[in-house]
Amino acid sequence: MTQTHTSTEPSLFRLAGFPYFLIAFIARLPFAMMVVGVLTVVVSARGSLSLGGLTSAAVGLGTACFGPLLGAAADRYGQRTVLLMLAIANGTMMVVFTLVVYGDAVDGLVLLAAAGIGATAPQVSPLSRARLVTMISERMPETRRARTVSGTMAYESAADETVFVFGPFIVGILASLIAPWAPLVGAAVLTIVFVGAFALHPSGRHVAAVRGADGAAPSAVSELFRPQLVIVVIGILGVGMFFGTMLTSLTSFMADRGASEQAGLLYGVMGVGSAVLALGVAWLPVRFSLRARWLVFSGILFAGSLLLGVVDSPAMMMLALGIMGVGIGPTLVTQYSFGAARSPLGRSATVMTMLGSGIVVGQSIGAAVAGELAENVGTSAALVLPIVAAGVAFAAGLVNWVLSRTHARNVVVAA
């Protein structure tokens, strides 16, 4: 009898439907194409690598500043309205940016247009996480929610990593076969079509049931700044810093050996392992708690990063990247799971976009600082930065261990 009941319980795949996952996957591609697409077109049209780097950073800055505000708007008014406006605005901004770059506009206007691309970026990944978590919390049996959320975060993280591998690859193909402006125009079309479809999907109508008739959340804004949630943002900022510093210092490492173009291939060693292990988190036993996972996997990341202090060959670098890949994916999944579990009532999209922006900010800062250090001091100095970033993620895990214990004790006392 129990077996029959279990088999009839809805799975998340049945609740959302296959078209949802396909649309959501393609809809996040433009976001992965933006930064590299902007860099490509600026370097081609203006002949300045320096301006290209600044323009990419402006995209990241726009996303970081406006991402959480757009998440809050999606929480209040529903994702459909917000995403439809963003799909049109972002697609338009990419075309406008292309025209500005190829025109006679001053560099300041180019940077402003780039910031506009970032500010209007539809953050499909965080909003998809928020949408799926709401479905799980409101439509699935309580006994299955924790494992389903963990599996969902694992899938979403693996999907993100896959897209961020294919995004730059697509940019390269379009720029080579058509023209340097083609990736941004292509991203604009994908944004309008697939982000629009993501917005119009039936699940886009759904607003969390805990929201009032006026769209207001029952939880105060101050709850977004609770220590238990802030430490997750700091931890994910560390992961973003690691991504930015690692790729930049790795590029410098390979450039010293006359093979800078192979940096992406070596980085892929970490990316593949990270994506596979991120998916594997869904099968970890429930007794392996979230706070323990954060400590264990960020510890593996930190331990692997220490090898960067002694690497002297591409083979040894590959070994270090392989070890770090084991830690980075599961750490990210665990942090997103904590974000979902600790989101104040009615503010899940806000929290997910805060976490997504944390990665973008960390990545932008990390890449900029590592680039400066590599150019002015040397590769060995730049390779210290990923160790620092991994240390931030691990230290945040230690603080989270204490805060989780305190939070659990307070819940018991309140009960």
Side-chain angles (χ1 to χ4, degrees), residues 42 51 67-68 71 75 78 98 123 147 197 207 212 230 238 258 281 304 314 334 351 400:
V42 170
L51 180 60
D75 270 331
T98 306
Q123 295 194 45
R147 181 174 282 278
V207 181
V230 170
V281 170
T334 304
V351 170
N400 178 71

Side-chain angles (χ1 to χ4, degrees), residues 99-376:
L99 295 173
V100 168
V101 171
Y102 279 101
D104 298 323
V106 296
D107 291 350
L109 195 57
V110 173
L111 292 174
L112 188 62
I117 291 177
T120 57
Q123 295 194 45
V124 174
S125 297
L127 293 178
S128 176
R129 284 179 171 93
R131 202 182 286 193
L132 294 174
V133 166
T134 300
M135 281 188 209
I136 293 165
S137 62
E138 293 182 3
R139 306 183 197 178
M140 292 193 75
E142 193 172 349
T143 52
R144 293 178 56 204
R145 286 177 195 166
R147 181 174 282 278
T148 307
V149 166
S150 180
T152 300
M153 294 303 133
Y155 161 75
E156 287 283 322
S157 296
D160 283 348
E161 296 204 31
T162 304
V163 160
F164 275 96
V165 167
F166 278 106
F169 179 68
I170 293 171
V171 168
I173 289 178
L174 290 176
S176 301
L177 296 181
I178 304 175
W181 52 261
L184 278 184
V185 174
V189 173
L190 281 175
T191 297
I192 292 170
V193 174
F194 284 95
V195 174
F198 180 68
L200 293 171
H201 187 272
S203 61
R205 283 198 308 265
H206 188 68
V207 181
V210 294
R211 284 263 162 179
D214 61 349
S219 55
V221 174
S222 59
E223 289 194 40
L224 292 170
F225 302 98
R226 286 181 297 122
Q228 287 86 356
L229 192 52
V230 170
I231 197 63
V232 180
V233 176
I234 292 171
I236 214 161
L237 180 72
V239 170
M241 286 165 56
F242 175 79
F243 283 138
T245 56
M246 189 65 248
L247 181 55
T248 306
S249 57
L250 174 62
T251 303
S252 177
F253 178 84
M254 293 306 293
D256 290 347
R257 285 152 183 78
S260 59
E261 71 282 355
Q262 292 180 19
L265 294 175
L266 259 69
Y267 194 71
V269 171
M270 185 180 76
V272 171
S274 176
V276 171
L277 267 294
L279 279 173
V281 170
W283 285 276
L284 291 174
V286 177
R287 63 180 178 275
F288 187 9
S289 67
L290 284 178
R291 65 176 185 157
R293 291 179 194 182
W294 187 343
L295 265 190
V296 168
F297 290 113
S298 65
I300 293 171
L301 172 64
F302 184 53
S305 73
L306 293 175
L307 291 175
L308 296 174
V310 294
V311 290
D312 56 3
S313 67
M316 193 167 180
M317 177 61 82
M318 197 177 294
L319 173 65
L321 289 166
I323 294 171
M324 290 185 285
V326 171
I328 191 76
T331 299
L332 196 56
V333 171
T334 304
Q335 289 167 337
Y336 269 115
S337 296
F338 267 118
R342 293 173 178 174
S343 295
L345 281 174
R347 298 191 184 274
S348 59
T350 309
V351 170
M352 289 301 164
T353 46
M354 281 170 63
L355 297 181
S357 295
I359 292 179
V360 172
V361 172
Q363 205 166 9
S364 301
I365 293 173
V369 175
E372 282 294 315
L373 209 57
E375 192 169 325
N376 298 315

